[in-house]
Amino acid sequence: MKRILPLLFVAILALGLSACNQEPSVKIGVVDEAAAFKENKLATEAMAHLQEMGKPLQQKAEAAYKAMQANQTEETVAAYKLAMGELQNTMNAEQQRIVAMVDAKFNEILENYRKEKGLSLILSKQAVIASSDTVDITKDIEAAMNNVTMDFSLPEAPKAEAPKAEAPAAEQAAPAAEAPAKAAPEAKKDAE
């Protein structure tokens, strides 16, 4: 029994050491997000959409600026400020909408790639101190982004139904007609 216990201990220790020497089964990918966002067709299309949308607003602001330079009055200054405000507000909102759309698609592509390749993690290259080129998946993600097409046009606002002018007028007339009829019996009761 005294000999079996030390042998059993040595066997357990050997199993533990061999398990520690095995490579982990964690597969990691590293992506340069900045490069993957810049270097693809989807980003180019998004920028083209923003530029196209901004053209008429930019022209309006430039015309207001020229008018203000030609004749600086309260009206021309106000018109310029209004045009610039419209340009900035519209373009900021549209840029946020477009970036959100592209970012959502980028995250979807990363998750699909991770599942497809059996990766445990995808890390941002900016957060990694050092890594092997074999785990860099930036080119694969760029290629996947190049295969995506998106409709960047603004969604149509729901069409508001025109209020029915006749129905409310008829409803308002009916309670008014009922009021004198109700008041007449009450007046009779008061007189009696």
Side-chain angles (χ1 to χ4, degrees), residues 90-109:
T90 302
M91 294 312 297
N92 285 342
E94 185 63 5
Q95 183 177 5
Q96 288 176 358
R97 185 181 77 85
I98 296 298
V99 167
M101 288 173 67
V102 173
D103 188 49
K105 185 54 76 174
F106 181 74
N107 289 330
E108 179 184 321
I109 287 171

Side-chain angles (χ1 to χ4, degrees), residues 148-164:
V148 173
T149 57
M150 293 183 82
D151 181 13
F152 293 116
S153 60
L154 288 169
E156 288 187 30
K159 294 181 181 178
E161 293 182 27
K164 296 179 182 176

